[in-house]
Amino acid sequence: MNEPHHLLTIIKAQQEAIDRLMALVQERKQPEPAKRKERRERPIDWLTISEKERAAAWRGLAAFVESLVFRYGLQMEIQPCWWRHAEAVEELTALWQVRQNAFGENATLGSGMQWQNAFHSSRKRLSTMFGSCRSGHIDSTVTMWMTEDDRKAFDHAVENGL
């Protein structure tokens, strides 16, 4: 009689240990919603990004652009000087972030199609951004937009109530 009681005690102790382990496993499987939000990345804003984040963002964007060019055969649409064109950098950054979101942790079944729609819309805009660079990069950045006289006239207009 003593032996069955001893076996029941052992089984009970093992079941309690299993229950504690299962509780620990469940706790680790379900992260708190607040913790998930903390890990969420913010969109890249090239006008305000810190120097510390800038290099990593450029490397990530460059890897994305290169994979995009080869995956979709965009060698004729996106020129190698893409990084010198502010408009293209902004467009490609937005596209990169849409793709990250579409295939990220919170993606839905429709996210892949949303990515495709965004890509094809962006592709049309990108095709017009490198018109002057077909045979090599041509700098088209504006070095001066308003002359000093234009600025003075603007300041005067603002001071006098436009």
Side-chain angles (χ1 to χ4, degrees), residues 146-162:
M146 291 178 82
T147 66
E148 194 57 38
D149 289 340
D150 291 329
R151 288 190 193 285
K152 286 178 185 175
F154 172 76
D155 290 340
H156 180 71
V158 168
E159 289 170 11
N160 293 304
L162 272 173

Side-chain angles (χ1 to χ4, degrees), residues 70-86:
F70 286 105
R71 180 158 187 85
Y72 291 94
L74 303 175
Q75 295 86 342
M76 299 302 287
E77 293 169 61
I78 299 176
Q79 297 298 308
C81 60
W82 64 269
W83 55 275
R84 293 179 174 181
H85 296 263

Side-chain angles (χ1 to χ4, degrees), residues 131-144:
S132 63
C133 297
R134 297 295 174 210
S135 300
H137 178 70
I138 295 175
D139 191 9
S140 62
T141 56
V142 176
T143 56
M144 185 173 69

Side-chain angles (χ1 to χ4, degrees), residues 58-128:
W58 272 113
R59 281 191 210 80
L61 179 59
F64 168 74
V65 171
E66 189 169 358
S67 69
L68 189 71
V69 166
F70 286 105
R71 180 158 187 85
Y72 291 94
L74 303 175
Q75 295 86 342
M76 299 302 287
E77 293 169 61
I78 299 176
Q79 297 298 308
C81 60
W82 64 269
W83 55 275
R84 293 179 174 181
H85 296 263
E87 182 182 21
V89 169
E90 294 293 345
E91 182 77 26
L92 290 163
T93 300
L95 191 59
W96 176 36
Q97 291 175 76
V98 167
R99 188 165 198 308
Q100 287 175 319
N101 191 50
F103 296 100
E105 192 174 302
N106 297 320
T108 64
L109 291 177
S111 296
M113 185 53 71
Q114 289 172 346
W115 150 249
Q116 289 297 318
N117 290 336
F119 167 68
H120 287 289
S121 177
S122 184
R123 186 176 186 175
K124 289 177 187 173
R125 289 188 298 272
L126 283 165
S127 68
T128 65

